[in-house]
Amino acid sequence: MKRAPKVPSNSYPGLDIFKGVIREAVGRTIGQIASELRTKPWRVKAAISGLKRMDLMRCERRGREVLYFSDDGSLHESFINAFFQYILPLYKERSIKWMMVTLWPNDKKGTSYKRAVYLAKLGKDLGVLESNGNGYFLSPRGLRKTLAKAIESAYVEESGGKIGSYVNLTRILTRLSDWGMDPQVAKEGFLAAISEIGGRLSPSPAISDNVLRDGIMDRKKGYLYYLSLRKVKFN
């Protein structure tokens, strides 16, 4: 799997700046965008840093100037698509310190702090995350969308990119666990998540320890254990 883009280590500029930059990046420089938004250039630069990682911003050099252009796309979905490996472990409440130590253990303290705050504040402003004042955790909708993206990515990797093939849930749940999500939490949200990506679960013809542990019980069909996707939405 391709490595997830690192969360920017800039100071968080605010959601209004993100939206403003997307609106004003029509072949303008950072200074011109900042002037249009009546804000400081560092805020524009901080937003552009995140937007580029979310594939919502591109730039072109013309002479000595660098011009920025925004691309179409949902900021909400693009945030999840780019950073799902970082927010998936937030299925339970996590502090900024936990994020610093766990998600970016090799960064300097100041750098990891800025990354954690950037991720947490942008996620909260977008409604992907919630906070009770002590830490951050995925909102119900954020959990469903993030889990959907993670399941799809796990499926693509485990199937070798063969869309339409069947992959058992043990392999999917193991991959999600490697990315920091509790398998039981993943199972509880699995059906709602795959409805986001058109996934289909099929029962296992034979019962084994893995099927009993990782399968999802259906009263009519038995243990649903094999996942197939007809198309890929996010990757």
Side-chain angles (χ1 to χ4, degrees):
M1 178 178 186
K2 67 179 182 180
R3 192 172 184 178
K6 267 198 173 183
V7 177
S9 58
N10 308 74
S11 296
Y12 178 62
L15 184 60
D16 58 330
I17 300 299
F18 274 90
K19 292 180 177 179
V21 170
I22 290 173
R23 184 178 65 250
E24 300 296 339
V26 289
R28 292 186 170 123
T29 65
I30 287 176
Q32 289 169 338
I33 295 171
S35 179
E36 289 291 332
L37 297 178
R38 297 182 180 180
T39 191
K40 295 185 180 298
W42 77 261
R43 291 184 181 275
V44 173
K45 190 178 296 185
I48 285 175
S49 184
L51 291 168
K52 288 175 72 174
R53 286 164 171 78
M54 291 184 270
D55 292 327
L56 291 175
M57 185 67 57
R58 56 190 171 84
C59 63
E60 293 181 10
R61 180 172 290 278
R62 295 183 185 174
R64 295 182 178 180
E65 294 185 327
V66 177
L67 306 183
Y68 292 89
F69 301 82
S70 60
D71 290 327
D72 293 335
S74 162
L75 184 54
H76 182 276
E77 285 200 355
S78 297
F79 172 78
I80 292 173
N81 293 348
F83 303 128
F84 78 93
Q85 289 184 55
Y86 299 111
I87 56 178
L88 195 64
L90 308 187
Y91 67 87
K92 62 186 293 185
E93 181 186 302
R94 307 291 193 184
S95 66
I96 291 293
K97 184 177 181 180
W98 183 94
M99 292 184 228
M100 291 169 58
V101 173
T102 307
L103 302 180
W104 302 285
N106 298 321
D107 283 354
K108 293 181 179 179
K109 186 176 181 180
T111 301
S112 62
Y113 175 77
K114 285 187 175 181
R115 292 195 202 282
V117 171
Y118 197 110
L119 181 77
K121 288 191 173 182
L122 180 55
K124 184 181 179 183
D125 284 349
L126 290 172
V128 177
L129 300 177
E130 295 180 355
S131 175
N132 61 7
N134 297 316
Y136 293 83
F137 51 93
L138 283 159
S139 66
R141 181 169 180 257
L143 176 60
R144 186 177 73 250
K145 295 280 189 179
T146 303
L147 184 54
K149 166 62 181 177
I151 289 171
E152 182 187 83
S153 294
Y155 173 87
V156 170
E157 198 161 310
E158 292 296 332
S159 68
K162 296 178 180 178
I163 309 304
S165 60
Y166 290 85
V167 177
N168 69 57
L169 292 194
T170 296
R171 292 166 65 185
I172 299 293
L173 293 174
T174 298
R175 183 72 64 173
L176 297 180
S177 180
D178 291 342
W179 292 337
M181 170 159 271
D182 180 86
Q184 188 57 42
V185 174
K187 278 182 62 176
E188 290 171 0
F190 210 94
L191 295 178
I194 65 171
S195 69
E196 295 279 341
I197 52 177
R200 179 183 177 185
L201 284 174
S202 300
S204 173
I207 303 301
S208 66
D209 289 342
N210 283 350
V211 172
L212 289 173
R213 183 190 65 213
D214 298 328
I216 298 173
M217 183 61 185
D218 182 281
R219 291 182 180 180
K220 295 181 179 180
K221 297 180 180 179
Y223 285 93
L224 302 176
Y225 186 62
Y226 291 96
L227 172 68
S228 65
L229 298 181
R230 295 180 180 179
K231 61 181 179 179
V232 173
K233 179 179 179 182
F234 297 119
N235 279 275

